Amino acid sequence: DQQVKQNSPSLSVQEGRISILNCDYTNSMFDYFLWYKKYPAEGPTFLISISSIKDKNEDGRFTVFLNKSAKHLSLHIVPSQPGDSAVYFCAASATRSGTYKYIFGTGTRLKVLA
Amino acid sequence: DSGVTQTPKHLITATGQRVTLRCSPRSGDLSVYWYQQSLDQGLQFLIQYYNGEERAKGNILERFSAQQFPDLHSELNLSSLELGDSALYFCASSLGLAGAGTGELFFGEGSRLTVL
């Protein structure tokens, strides 16, 4: 049972444009979400997080939006740069449940075209 | 550099063998997570420790075991290895448990296991 889904395996965007990466979840207990970026041969790198008490969190070119009713979150990258080309994972945790584990999606490979 | 150190980086072994993967968390982090990434798959959660105690378990096979030592480093033991165990094994650490402020995970570069 895949509780965190990233339905787009890949995405191509022109440099300077907006990249939108999507993530859906099924477990209504999830209340904390993170986005990670992964380059080949490296470990995932933390990008940005959001708690369920917010619907938006912004950090520089990265903004995460959370729609709790739709169980959907998205990562916006504006403007996109070639160095953003990587695999992006979303992850979710049910912090109030006491389980403390993060469930990751399968990732979306972003390619930013120069 | 995330501050999380994993050894070995690469490991090639045969079916039926046993291996141990080691992880040193970031200085001060109390929580250690282990994830498995098979080819073109997402990160599958295996197990989590916090300050020496197991706190969460995922789809970890009975052939696999882990522990966190008093100095907070962790080891993942994989035994009776099968071809399907070939994967990247990531360790991650966080200051606290999952949640805002202290729960962000910092990953090591992974240990690539190849079972022949």
Side-chain angles (χ1 to χ4, degrees):
Chain A
D1 176 26
Q2 189 67 28
Q3 297 185 64
V4 178
K5 300 177 185 178
Q6 293 177 257
N7 292 318
S8 298
S10 63
L11 174 69
S12 291
V13 171
Q14 285 295 131
E15 181 180 6
R17 300 288 191 119
I18 183 171
S19 294
I20 300 176
L21 298 106
N22 295 304
C23 180
D24 296 295
Y25 60 96
T26 57
N27 189 340
S28 59
M29 296 293 291
F30 287 150
D31 59 359
Y32 188 61
F33 306 88
L34 308 96
W35 282 94
Y36 280 80
K37 176 171 72 174
K38 185 182 182 303
Y39 293 119
E42 294 184 11
T45 304
F46 171 72
L47 275 177
I48 193 168
S49 63
I50 188 166
S51 166
S52 60
I53 62 173
K54 294 184 174 183
D55 54 20
K56 176 183 173 181
N57 191 24
E58 196 170 351
D59 184 0
R61 297 186 298 114
F62 301 92
T63 302
V64 56
F65 296 91
L66 176 62
N67 182 334
K68 290 184 288 293
S69 60
K71 295 191 180 68
H72 177 84
L73 64 154
S74 60
L75 175 69
H76 293 210
I77 306 173
V78 184
S80 300
Q81 299 173 353
D84 296 328
S85 297
V87 177
Y88 289 78
F89 293 96
C90 66
S93 180
T95 62
R96 287 188 292 268
S97 71
T99 59
Y100 306 114
K101 61 184 179 183
Y102 289 99
I103 305 299
F104 280 77
T106 51
T108 296
R109 186 179 301 276
L110 172 66
K111 188 171 184 179
V112 180
L113 307 169
Chain B
D1 182 8
S2 67
V4 177
T5 303
Q6 288 188 247
T7 56
K9 285 191 171 18
H10 301 276
L11 190 55
I12 301 174
T13 189
T15 54
Q17 295 298 304
R18 171 190 168 95
V19 298
T20 297
L21 309 180
R22 183 188 167 99
C23 171
S24 294
R26 289 189 320 158
S27 177
D29 282 0
L30 299 175
S31 193
V32 169
Y33 298 75
W34 285 97
Y35 284 86
Q36 179 194 54
Q37 185 182 27
S38 301
L39 191 63
D40 291 332
Q41 297 295 309
L43 294 159
Q44 299 296 318
F45 171 71
L46 295 177
I47 199 164
Q48 184 223 356
Y49 285 85
Y50 178 77
N51 204 19
E53 291 187 11
E54 181 185 308
R55 296 304 294 264
K57 215 165 185 175
N59 296 324
I60 187 168
L61 299 171
E62 285 191 11
R63 301 184 285 107
F64 295 2
S65 64
Q67 59 184 128
Q68 186 179 29
F69 294 87
D71 67 352
L72 301 177
H73 91 272
S74 178
E75 292 181 358
L76 178 67
N77 300 297
L78 315 174
S79 61
S80 302
L81 285 168
E82 302 175 359
L83 296 177
D85 298 328
S86 295
L88 256 177
Y89 291 85
F90 286 104
C91 169
S93 73
S94 64
L95 176 61
L97 297 168
T102 64
E104 287 78 12
L105 302 182
F106 294 86
F107 281 82
E109 294 186 349
S111 292
R112 181 174 293 282
L113 173 66
T114 302
V115 182
L116 300 176

